[in-house]
Amino acid sequence: NAGVTQTPKFQVLKTGQSMTLQCAQDMNHEYMSWYRQDPGMGLRLIHYSVGAGITDQGEVPNGYNVSRSTTEDFPLRLLSAAPSQTSVYFCASSGGGMGQETQYFGPGTRLLVL
Amino acid sequence: AQKVTQAQTEISVVEKEDVTLDCVYETRDTTYYLFWYKQPPSGELVFLIRRNSFDEQNEISGRYSWNFQKSTSSFNFTITASQVVDSAVYFCALSGGNSGYSTLTFGKGTMLLVSP
């Protein structure tokens, strides 16, 4: 079982460029979410999805776009990268049913925007 | 709105000392879940424990123990006889709220440094 996978592991972008961070899970989890981690800030929720075709905004959604066309995949798109989006991005998934509330995280993507 | 407070930004101990990491939470939900995650220097997030709001029993797992008290909205984590491998950032988190149980609200984390 691969669990939650994220690609790429590390990316450097120039201001204004766009890119997609990939996230996939093989646990048939309904819930998936994206967080960003900044020094001294903990993890903050960007967007989340409770199932294919359903997404919603979290605490810090501006500048990011998501879609959920399949249960397995939940890509995060940066429309026009800004230095403020330099961060470590984590994708997570959970089962969504009773007793399945634990979120499992991918290894993270470290993004540097110049 | 939900909130998790980890007042200790950084703790330094010497190996074999006991250490307690504090976590205080705020929520209006009657049903919620509390979590602790460990983030070692390698960067991944490792799940340690989940507790639901109806279960106030303390839990012990090896050198780790957790004290959940609804009366004080606290979910503290104690490491007994700390080891260098315990050095990491520890996050307390809360689920529930507007997104149901699909997302987490995190504290800012406590960095634990265990020196030999």
Side-chain angles (χ1 to χ4, degrees):
Chain A
N1 249 356
V4 181
T5 58
Q6 292 183 237
T7 56
K9 290 185 179 179
F10 180 71
Q11 183 72 46
V12 179
L13 290 179
K14 294 181 179 178
T15 297
Q17 287 184 317
S18 62
M19 79 160 293
T20 298
L21 280 64
Q22 301 292 344
C23 174
Q25 51 90 11
D26 62 0
M27 298 174 281
N28 202 32
H29 282 171
E30 287 296 315
Y31 293 173
M32 295 186 75
S33 49
W34 278 101
Y35 298 84
R36 60 177 288 174
Q37 182 179 17
D38 303 295
M41 298 295 294
L43 282 82
R44 292 180 293 169
L45 180 67
I46 304 171
H47 285 286
Y48 66 99
S49 169
V50 298
I54 306 170
T55 63
D56 206 346
Q57 297 181 350
E59 180 186 354
V60 288
N62 292 340
Y64 306 96
N65 206 331
V66 293
S67 59
R68 182 103 179 265
S69 55
T70 68
T71 299
E72 295 79 19
D73 301 299
F74 191 41
L76 178 72
R77 282 179 282 276
L78 278 69
L79 309 172
S80 177
S84 61
Q85 293 178 304
T86 293
S87 188
V88 181
Y89 292 85
F90 288 97
C91 178
S93 74
S94 62
M98 185 69 71
Q100 300 183 59
E101 299 82 0
T102 299
Q103 294 214 3
Y104 296 96
F105 286 81
T109 293
R110 189 173 295 270
L111 177 67
L112 174 62
V113 182
L114 302 175
Chain B
Q2 299 193 107
K3 186 177 181 181
V4 176
T5 301
Q6 295 180 256
Q8 304 150 309
T9 305
E10 189 173 324
I11 301 175
S12 293
V13 299
V14 177
E15 211 170 18
K16 297 184 183 177
E17 283 186 33
D18 298 347
V19 58
T20 295
L21 310 182
D22 297 331
C23 173
V24 174
Y25 64 92
E26 297 174 29
T27 180
R28 294 179 180 175
D29 294 343
T30 54
T31 301
Y32 51 89
Y33 291 82
L34 292 159
F35 300 81
W36 277 94
Y37 285 86
K38 174 182 180 179
Q39 186 175 44
S42 51
E44 72 271 25
L45 285 159
V46 179
F47 165 72
L48 295 178
I49 190 172
R50 180 187 80 213
R51 213 71 183 144
N52 73 51
S53 52
F54 297 113
D55 185 359
E56 287 193 70
Q57 276 193 329
N58 291 336
E59 181 154 340
I60 299 174
S61 176
R63 296 184 296 107
Y64 294 172
S65 62
W66 291 269
N67 182 358
F68 175 32
Q69 292 193 337
K70 285 181 75 171
S71 60
T72 56
S73 297
S74 65
F75 186 42
N76 297 338
F77 173 29
T78 297
I79 302 175
T80 302
S82 60
Q83 300 176 0
V84 172
V85 293
D86 295 327
S87 296
V89 180
Y90 292 86
F91 291 99
C92 180
L94 169 68
S95 73
N98 292 338
S99 64
Y101 307 115
S102 58
T103 63
L104 296 172
T105 299
F106 281 85
K108 294 184 178 181
T110 297
M111 179 178 290
L112 175 63
L113 178 60
V114 182
S115 52

